[in-house]
Each structure stands twice: as C-alpha cells, then as structure tokens.
Amino acid sequence: IISYIKLTNKGRILKMKVKLLAHTPEPEKVISMAAKLCYSPVGVDEIAENLTEESINKFLNMLVSMGHESPIEHVTFTFGIEGISRSCSHQIVRHRIASFSQQSQRYVKLDQFEYIIPPEIEKNEKAKEIFIQSMNKCQEDYDKLVEILFEKHYQDLLDKGLNEKKAKSQAEKMSIEDARYVFPNACETKMVFTINARSLYNFFHHRCCERAQWEIRELATEMLKLVREVAPILFNNVGPNCLNGACPEGKMTCGKIQEVRQKFKTL
C-alpha cells in the first residue's frame, strides 16, 4: 500500500512514499481476543470463538470508551518511508515507544543528495533561489571534504600496511563519516518504522494536528489512511485530539476544529 505527496527537488518531483510493509495479521481480532480474555471467564482456547465483526466492533469501542488501551498494544504496524527530510525524521524518533532503522550517511556516500523544499519556500521564487544555491553549495562542500579527507586517510592506512583495496574502502567510509556533517536538515532520508497501535494513537493525536510541522503532519495523515484500510474499526475515530473532543491547544488552537473534524471523518 503506497501513498504519495509531491515535493520538489531541484526542479524534479521528489515523492514522499509511505508503504505499510507489515502488520499483525487480523489486528482487530487479536485486540478483541485480548479484551475478551480480560472481561470474560474464558481460556486461551476459547477466546477466538464467536468473534464476529459486530462483537469485534463492540470490544474495540468498549476499550476506547473505558480508556483501557493496553490490549491495543498487542498489534504492530511497520512502515517504509522515503522522501522525507532529516528534520522530519528527527521528529519521528521522538516517539520513543517504537523501533527505527534509518539510512546511514556513514555508510551511504551521497554523490548527489536529495533534499526537501518547504512549500513556503517553493512558492517564493526569491527564497527558492537562495535555498537551492545553499543546497548546491552543501553538495559541493561535501564532495571537497570527502576528497580531502580521503587522500589523508588513504595514505595513512597504506602506511599502516593495509593493501590498496582495504585502504580505499576504509578511507572512503572514514571520509564520508565526517563530511556528512555539512548536510542540512533538508537532506532526504529513508527509514523503516515499527510501532504498536496504542503508540500509533498517540502519534496521530499529536502529528495529525494542524499545529504539527507541515511535513510530519502530511506523513501522519498518509499513515492513518493506510492503517484505516487494514483496521478500519480500530482507527475509525482516530486523528488529532480535537476529532472527538475539545481542542487541547487553548489559546494556540488553529481555530479550524470543524474543518479538521470533517477532514478526518471522511479521510
């Protein structure tokens, strides 16, 4: 399952790709079995019996209404994400009850790094020109740093007795490890992200909010679309905090609560 958001990169279209790589089979049934075990005198051999769509719906709605969300932790979702900035990935990893694997700039040499242009910069020609010049300069400086550092490391390793093949391989890794520091937050990255459904609720509550940073908000919305396809009951009423209650932002509210509610109820 793949969704796309168009972002520009040096005149090309850089696509944010979100793919649901894997998830717990029959996630809503698994949660219902856990809930049934909590609230009825059945053993593990009977918890899957008579679980109809209607009873599953009942169990899930009961859990949410009671605030008993621990059974929801029994199911996980794994996403493959690319076409996002390092700025966005830094926000994703703040959600600590999750697992992350991110493309390494220590091991992957970026001969032509991709980058994300924020929409407000994209639609302002003067700002866009400055931004692209800065990105080009980052690439130019990265290439120079790699070259300078490689020459030094390569010779040092040869002097230590390594053969040319090993010296070249290690020197390149050592060079890009330090040269990568010149890259900006706009640098494109890729990651695999696994999270349980309860933590995903929290992720959507915060990141689907209009006050969330634009890139992670768009990412979260696409992720919500994907999980609703495989677990529609579980995620039917999930979205920003204001979807089912008052806006928690107080004076900092976006002021568009009705518009936001309509958006996520018809997502």
Side-chain angles (χ1 to χ4, degrees):
I1 305 173
I2 304 174
S3 297
Y4 297 100
I5 301 168
K6 291 184 177 180
L7 301 172
T8 52
N9 169 34
K10 301 182 182 179
R12 302 192 301 275
I13 296 297
L14 177 61
K15 293 179 178 179
M16 177 190 286
K17 180 183 291 186
V18 188
K19 184 174 183 180
L20 185 55
L21 299 176
H23 60 82
T24 303
E26 300 185 275
E28 295 176 332
K29 185 176 181 180
V30 170
I31 294 170
S32 297
M33 287 191 292
K36 186 176 179 180
L37 186 68
C38 292
Y39 294 105
S40 60
V42 297
V44 294
D45 292 330
E46 295 85 36
I47 56 175
E49 293 179 0
N50 302 317
L51 277 180
T52 63
E53 184 176 338
E54 182 180 354
S55 62
I56 288 173
N57 196 335
K58 180 180 178 182
F59 273 123
L60 293 179
N61 287 327
M62 178 187 70
L63 292 175
V64 174
S65 65
M66 293 174 62
H68 184 193
E69 296 184 348
S70 60
I72 298 173
E73 296 177 17
H74 290 296
V75 302
T76 62
F77 298 84
T78 299
F79 301 90
I81 303 167
E82 62 182 58
I84 61 170
S85 69
R86 285 263 171 174
S87 178
C88 183
S89 69
H90 292 339
Q91 295 178 78
I92 293 173
V93 298
R94 290 174 187 163
H95 293 267
R96 295 182 294 277
I97 306 177
S99 300
F100 311 97
S101 298
Q102 186 169 9
Q103 187 177 74
S104 174
Q105 291 180 343
R106 292 181 64 202
Y107 294 95
V108 179
K109 187 171 182 286
L110 301 180
D111 293 315
Q112 186 59 65
F113 85 99
E114 302 282 1
Y115 55 81
I116 311 302
I117 303 180
E120 291 300 315
I121 293 179
E122 165 64 28
K123 63 187 181 184
N124 185 309
E125 288 301 319
K126 185 175 181 180
K128 182 179 177 181
E129 181 181 357
I130 294 172
F131 187 89
I132 292 177
Q133 287 176 353
S134 179
M135 297 302 104
N136 290 339
K137 184 66 165 59
C138 286
Q139 182 70 62
E140 180 182 334
D141 291 342
Y142 173 80
D143 293 340
K144 289 179 179 178
L145 286 169
V146 170
E147 182 179 354
I148 292 168
L149 294 171
F150 176 83
E151 290 178 0
K152 179 183 183 303
H153 291 313
Y154 181 63
Q155 188 58 54
D156 288 347
L157 291 168
L158 288 177
D159 293 343
K160 290 180 180 179
L162 271 69
N163 61 46
E164 291 185 1
K165 183 178 180 180
K166 283 189 175 181
K168 182 178 180 180
S169 175
Q170 290 188 25
E172 181 174 87
K173 177 185 175 298
M174 294 165 70
S175 301
I176 65 177
E177 182 174 24
D178 288 336
R180 66 183 172 140
Y181 278 76
V182 80
F183 282 135
N185 275 339
C187 189
E188 187 266 350
T189 190
K190 302 170 179 64
M191 66 190 309
V192 172
F193 172 22
T194 299
I195 185 169
N196 73 55
R198 188 183 192 183
S199 294
L200 199 50
Y201 271 24
N202 177 267
F203 180 82
F204 292 142
H205 288 335
H206 289 87
R207 302 307 184 175
C208 288
C209 174
E210 282 295 304
R211 295 198 64 251
Q213 188 260 355
W214 66 269
E215 190 178 9
I216 197 169
R217 183 177 67 246
E218 294 300 324
L219 173 63
T221 302
E222 294 303 306
M223 289 168 59
L224 179 55
K225 288 180 182 178
L226 298 182
V227 295
R228 279 188 178 180
E229 291 186 24
V230 298
I233 301 172
L234 182 61
F235 292 101
N236 180 52
N237 293 313
V238 176
N241 279 308
C242 66
L243 191 62
N244 301 299
C247 173
E249 297 293 331
K251 293 181 180 180
M252 302 180 75
T253 180
C254 70
K256 299 186 288 185
I257 191 167
Q258 295 304 324
E259 181 183 332
V260 171
R261 286 177 176 176
Q262 182 61 27
K263 172 184 175 180
F264 284 94
K265 286 188 181 297
T266 59
L267 197 63

